[in-house]
Amino acid sequence: MLQASKSTGRGKPRSKLLALVLAPFIILSAPAAKADDASTPKGVVELFTSQGCRSCPPADRAFEQLVREGKVVALSYHVDYWNYLGWADTLATKENTARQYAYAKTFGRNGVYTPQAVLNGREHLKGTDASEVNQRLDRMKSSGNGLVVPVRASRHDDQLSITIGKGAGKANVVVVYFRQNQTVEVLKGENLGQSLNYWHSVTDVQTVGMWDGKSLDLTLPAKPMGDEESDGIAILLQAADEGGNPSRIIGATVMMTTPKTL
């Protein structure tokens, strides 16, 4: 496990409240009528990884297993702080790195590490064992720390509609763009010569609204077809800590622009 213990000085991730443009999506997760409905995802797994991290490929493979199982909202964030080792991660963004450092503040940590899997915004672990991730999510669900607020979405003509049910507390409505699948040939660095397969690599994160515990309906304009940077989207209902850092995720759903190919 590689760890970066020194702060990069980056601030919190950019949060944009705007008229969001979204592509036409085929919904993979059925609308959730109840928090315990079978269509509700088991939880949210956010994997922080890097093409330049020799410890990351096992976690990337475990993450792929979780994607294929189809029971969780799975998002992979490529970070850029290992680029100095000789290979600049082709999927990394400074915003992904900033989100991980913001989580470090939430967890009271001085630094970050890869691979790191964050579960429901509440716990973190190395993330190399899909079975352990599933077991932790099961325990979180049974203890009331799962996805307890229903989130659903649908597209009508040129508009995307998001519906969020009732619950307790306040949270941000966060939209995460991602690419379904990419293969990268690593030509330098610690993973030299490897062909690495990546799933659900995040390209952008945007905050589009606020939820205060009451039922909420959002209607957002859709963008034209043909976005080459992302072909999937996750909607997270995520609280923030006192410092504004990402915290517990209490609802989520996921969609693709094209049918999933596994």
Side-chain angles (χ1 to χ4, degrees):
M1 175 172 66
L2 292 177
Q3 181 166 0
S5 59
K6 185 177 181 180
S7 172
T8 64
R10 294 184 177 90
K12 289 176 284 190
R14 292 182 301 175
S15 176
K16 311 170 193 172
L17 185 59
L18 56 124
L20 182 67
V21 287
L22 296 171
F25 290 103
I26 294 175
I27 298 177
L28 294 183
S29 54
K34 301 178 182 178
D36 59 352
D37 190 280
S39 64
T40 302
K42 179 189 294 188
V44 177
V45 179
E46 297 176 275
L47 176 68
F48 292 90
T49 186
S50 172
Q51 296 167 10
C53 160
R54 66 176 178 271
S55 302
C56 287
D60 297 323
R61 290 190 291 270
F63 181 84
E64 178 181 347
Q65 179 180 336
L66 293 170
V67 171
R68 290 180 178 278
E69 290 173 355
K71 297 179 181 179
V72 302
V73 174
L75 300 167
S76 177
Y77 298 79
H78 285 247
V79 298
D80 62 3
Y81 49 78
W82 296 125
N83 288 356
Y84 77 93
L85 295 176
W87 176 255
D89 191 308
T90 61
L91 304 177
T93 67
K94 62 182 180 180
E95 289 80 14
N96 288 350
T97 300
R99 183 169 175 83
Q100 188 182 25
Y101 271 94
Y103 266 130
K105 293 178 181 179
T106 300
F107 297 134
R109 296 180 56 86
N110 293 325
V112 294
Y113 65 93
T114 54
Q116 180 189 38
V118 176
L119 310 183
N120 292 348
R122 297 174 182 266
E123 299 181 9
H124 66 95
L125 72 163
K126 190 175 180 182
T128 54
D129 186 338
S131 296
E132 182 181 3
V133 170
N134 276 318
Q135 289 171 9
R136 285 210 190 190
L137 288 174
D138 287 336
R139 289 197 296 268
M140 295 172 76
K141 182 178 180 179
S142 63
S143 65
N145 292 324
L147 304 182
V148 295
V149 179
V151 177
R152 58 187 180 184
S154 61
R155 186 180 185 277
H156 305 283
D157 297 325
D158 60 348
Q159 293 183 326
L160 178 81
S161 298
I162 300 173
T163 299
I164 301 173
K166 297 180 181 179
K170 297 181 179 180
N172 296 315
V173 182
V174 180
V175 174
V176 184
Y177 290 98
F178 62 88
R179 288 297 303 273
Q180 178 180 307
N181 179 230
Q182 292 167 285
T183 300
V184 176
E185 302 289 339
V186 180
L187 304 179
K188 297 180 181 179
E190 294 190 325
N191 291 317
L192 171 66
Q194 294 194 51
S195 178
L196 302 176
N197 199 22
Y198 294 109
W199 290 85
H200 291 199
S201 300
V202 170
T203 60
D204 194 17
V205 181
Q206 300 177 350
T207 297
V208 300
M210 294 288 297
W211 174 83
D212 62 2
K214 300 177 183 178
S215 297
L216 175 66
D217 293 311
L218 294 175
T219 300
L220 307 168
K223 69 179 176 181
M225 293 288 287
D227 177 17
E228 296 180 356
E229 291 191 358
S230 61
D231 50 16
I233 186 175
I235 300 169
L236 310 179
L237 187 61
Q238 183 164 37
D241 67 8
E242 293 182 356
N245 300 301
S247 185
R248 66 189 187 281
I249 297 172
I250 56 178
T253 191
V254 66
M255 299 180 275
M256 305 298 295
T257 58
T258 56
K260 208 176 219 181
T261 302
L262 296 178

